[in-house]
Amino acid sequence: PRPAGWKSAPVGGEQAPSISNEEFYGTELGQTIELLMKSHATFIGPNGPYKEEKGGVLQDGVDQVLGVLGYRIYIEQVQMPRWVWFEKEISVQIDFRNDGQAPLYYNWPAYAYILDENDKVVSTVQVDMDVRKIIPGQIYTVSVELPVKSLEKGIYSLAIAIVDPYTGKPSVQLAMESARQDFIYELGLFEVFRQLTY
């Protein structure tokens, strides 16, 4: 037995073919969820509920099972300045949380972005963090210094994404709402001033 094995490698497997989907996702749903949570499961397959009709009678049970598999990473809190005057850079602190049952198992890079009022990326900084350490039940805090010296007067937003190193694109869906469709998550606004007022 490896009780902490889930911290370093994914746990999963196919559901037993001798038990019906009606039992797994219906009459025995509570036990299914309890066992998946105890084992910190990340996936079910190759045998699973894939042939179940979407929106069918077992949809609620399938959705509940999907809700406990793997990671559910989100940003709990961000500390950042609201107004920026003449600084060369700003310090931002980001608290990550994982309400899922498992971490991400690959150390994909995370990037912080500064977006202008047109949602255009004007600055990108790699965040010094290990996404594998965002484990369930703990807060994972990172700090990042963002350059603002070249920014013109205006309102900007801070955003973050976890990037697939093979494609170079943001690829991890966080358990947060976002108006964007590109897996870049906006975290807050700040305003840059470039003139003295008397």
Side-chain angles (χ1 to χ4, degrees), residues 73-78 93-97 160 174-176 185 187:
I73 295 172
Y74 63 95
I75 309 295
E76 182 172 82
Q77 179 175 291
V78 178
Q93 182 174 298
I94 304 169
D95 292 343
F96 287 86
R97 252 188 122 67
I160 197 161
L174 301 182
M176 300 166 49
Y185 293 83
L187 305 177

Side-chain angles (χ1 to χ4, degrees), residues 52-61:
E52 286 301 317
E53 178 186 350
K54 186 168 175 65
V57 294
L58 296 180
Q59 186 67 53
D60 181 58

Side-chain angles (χ1 to χ4, degrees), residues 150-197:
S150 63
L151 298 181
E152 298 179 358
K153 183 178 183 292
I155 296 176
Y156 296 86
S157 60
L158 168 68
I160 197 161
I162 300 172
V163 173
D164 181 338
Y166 301 104
T167 65
K169 296 181 180 178
S171 299
V172 174
Q173 183 176 4
L174 301 182
M176 300 166 49
E177 290 186 13
S178 177
R180 302 176 64 98
Q181 302 299 313
D182 57 2
F183 298 122
I184 295 177
Y185 293 83
E186 294 186 45
L187 305 177
L189 301 172
F190 63 93
E191 187 169 0
V192 173
F193 294 90
R194 290 298 183 217
Q195 62 190 29
L196 290 173
T197 56

Side-chain angles (χ1 to χ4, degrees), residues 14-25:
E14 63 182 326
Q15 62 188 48
S18 60
I19 302 173
S20 70
N21 281 347
E22 286 73 18
E23 291 171 280
F24 272 118
Y25 306 101

